[in-house]
Amino acid sequence: MTQATRLAARTPLSRRNLLVASAAAAVAAPWRLASAAPIAGGKTITLVVSYPAGGGADLMARIIAPRLGEALGQNVVVDNKPGASGQLAASAVARATPDGATLLLDASSFAVNPSLYPKLPYDSNKAFVPLAVLATFPNVLVCHPGFGVTSVKEVIARAKAKPDDVAYASSGNGSAQHLAGALFEERTGVRLSHIPYRGGGPAMNDVMGGQVPLFFANVASSLGHIQSGKLKALAVTAPVRARSLPDVPTMAEAGVPNYEVLEWNPVLAPAGIAADTRAQLVAAIRKALADSEVLGRIRALGGDVFSDPTQASAGKFILAQQAQWGKVIRERKIVVG
């Protein structure tokens, strides 16, 4: 059991807050929840997505939106509001009327931002109510084939022999890749050199070009490069092996215990939402996630539906992630800029 899981198991449920995200419309009577009154009087429901079109959060919104609309019998649309690591979208939803018509679909940065940005324009644990965590996605530690290592143990040995000499790329200070590298340093006792880029694309390109040896990549975005031989996969950061990379060990199997880094997508509503409206939205999300097409598309991206997509489990998980990354950010003195 990972530290995050243990924290989640014992964290009280009194603090919770999160958003939901955008989606495309759909109405289908057979799919609608029985005896359910329309949300917000039947208004169109807006999933506000915290990142640009084409990114991971946007893909999840567009996968879930049609089935969510069918379950509710209402139109569900996606509205991308990227900027400030998700803060623009979160701020908009925090100010919205809490009638269920405006939801936030965010990313794992939701749990990082409270520690990374001490003056957020909202209180993450008071402004929102978490409805569900939709899915989790592992990262994979990859290296340039010319780096000359075949395992995580060899990376550790090389880094210990020459502290600060082995570098890893990230999409920027405080990014998921940066935090994954910081946690790797903490768990292994090595010192790596962090090379921040302005985005994951440029970082990935320089790793494939051999300018930087290591990268904690998203499985979905790196899979094709791994299969083509442009990148070598060393270990996935989830507790179990990825379906799309069955021959690649987990970090625990590779010799790094208690290491877990997941990207994930929560759906949150503004605080003050009525209990019956909240319950209806949670049920609709669960119904949407149980659809075979939705499940297949999530797995095609290298992810898995969250093991227990209930409101209580979502709140516990988010608090555990906040605790894990808050500790890493404080101890490693990570700042943005």
Side-chain angles (χ1 to χ4, degrees), residues 153-312:
K153 289 183 178 179
E154 291 179 20
V155 172
I156 295 171
R158 186 174 295 195
K160 286 187 174 180
K162 294 184 176 181
D164 298 316
D165 185 65
V166 176
Y168 71 98
S170 85
S171 59
N173 288 329
S175 65
Q177 300 88 14
H178 183 193
L179 296 177
L183 185 64
F184 184 82
E185 289 179 300
E186 180 183 293
R187 294 288 189 265
T188 60
V190 302
R191 294 208 320 257
L192 303 175
S193 177
H194 171 228
I195 311 296
Y197 286 77
R198 291 184 178 273
M204 178 92 78
N205 287 338
D206 268 13
V207 175
M208 288 192 292
Q211 285 86 355
V212 183
L214 299 175
F215 187 48
F216 290 85
N218 177 280
V219 169
S221 63
S222 62
L223 183 59
H225 302 308
I226 293 168
Q227 292 172 337
S228 69
K230 293 179 181 178
L231 293 171
K232 180 173 181 59
L234 300 176
V236 294
T237 63
V240 297
R241 294 192 180 197
R243 285 187 179 86
S244 53
L245 295 169
D247 297 328
V248 179
T250 65
M251 277 289 182
E253 291 172 332
V256 185
N258 300 318
Y259 183 96
E260 179 180 302
V261 178
L262 298 171
E263 295 190 31
W264 43 276
N265 297 109
V267 175
L268 306 106
I273 188 172
D276 58 345
T277 302
R278 183 176 65 221
Q280 187 177 345
L281 287 167
V282 170
I285 292 169
R286 293 188 70 178
K287 186 174 180 65
L289 290 174
D291 179 67
S292 59
E293 181 182 350
V294 169
L295 180 61
R297 293 182 67 185
I298 290 172
R299 287 181 172 175
L301 294 172
D304 279 298
V305 169
F306 190 61
S307 58
D308 185 10
T310 61
Q311 184 195 359

